Amino acid sequence: ASAPLAAHVRPRLTSKTLFVLGSMNMIDCINANLLTPYVDEMVSDFLQTSPKDPQVGHVVAILVGLYSVCEVCFSVLWGAIADRLGRKPALLIGLAGSVIAPIMFGLGKSLTVVFVARFLDGFFCGNVGVSRTYLGEIVDASNEQKAFG
């Protein structure tokens, strides 16, 4: 009789895998804070007012917070996508969006485009939980220190 087909083969934890997952999480941190140095000037230019105008502060606060709100709200969706399509495809889709959205943000010529780009960036970085889940799935007692140490 033939041997039963092997059950799902677990991916191996390699230095390359750790580097890629770490880089993806670093991109999330960078994208969250990317606009901090210049956002008030950018918004004041769009609003054609002084950076000291309270309206600029309100818009900046919404723009900065939008990323985190989207990341939290869409993380459940990314979990479902990862369960349906697989961890790697979900991570790659999110990574592609995390590359495109900041470029769109930087090239934005209106406040509307900048808000859409920030929304998309938060949406695509909502898959940060997928990267942590993927790491958790490939770690076992034999490689736990390598992954978390």
Side-chain angles (χ1 to χ4, degrees), residues 28 32-33 62-75 118-119 121-123 126:
D28 176 52
N33 297 301
I62 294 168
L63 197 56
V64 169
L66 182 61
Y67 177 91
S68 297
V69 168
C70 289
E71 188 174 26
V72 168
C73 290
F74 291 107
S75 62
R118 194 69 174 158
F119 173 88
D121 203 7
F123 170 77

Side-chain angles (χ1 to χ4, degrees), residues 4-143:
L5 292 175
H8 177 70
V9 178
R10 286 180 61 166
R12 291 177 1 132
L13 179 65
T14 63
S15 296
K16 180 181 170 185
T17 303
L18 279 177
F19 176 78
V20 170
L21 291 174
S23 297
M24 292 178 82
N25 286 316
M26 185 177 71
I27 288 168
D28 176 52
C29 293
I30 290 170
N31 284 356
N33 297 301
L34 184 68
L35 62 135
T36 304
Y38 59 86
V39 69
D40 54 343
E41 287 290 330
M42 182 184 206
V43 169
S44 69
D45 284 348
F46 287 139
L47 296 177
Q48 297 177 342
T49 187
S50 165
K52 306 240 186 257
D53 186 337
Q55 184 182 11
V56 171
H58 292 355
V59 173
V60 166
I62 294 168
L63 197 56
V64 169
L66 182 61
Y67 177 91
S68 297
V69 168
C70 289
E71 188 174 26
V72 168
C73 290
F74 291 107
S75 62
V76 174
L77 175 66
W78 280 106
I81 290 170
D83 287 343
R84 185 170 178 98
L85 300 178
R87 307 287 184 244
K88 287 182 183 179
L91 289 170
L92 291 174
I93 293 166
L95 183 60
S98 295
V99 169
I100 294 168
I103 293 170
M104 185 178 159
F105 181 89
L107 297 175
K109 300 286 185 199
S110 72
L111 207 49
T112 303
V113 171
V114 169
F115 267 96
V116 169
R118 194 69 174 158
F119 173 88
L120 289 173
D121 203 7
F123 170 77
F124 285 111
C125 281
N127 79 347
V128 73
V130 176
S131 68
R132 293 183 181 141
T133 300
Y134 184 71
L135 181 61
E137 289 174 347
I138 61 177
V139 170
D140 58 22
S142 69
N143 56 18

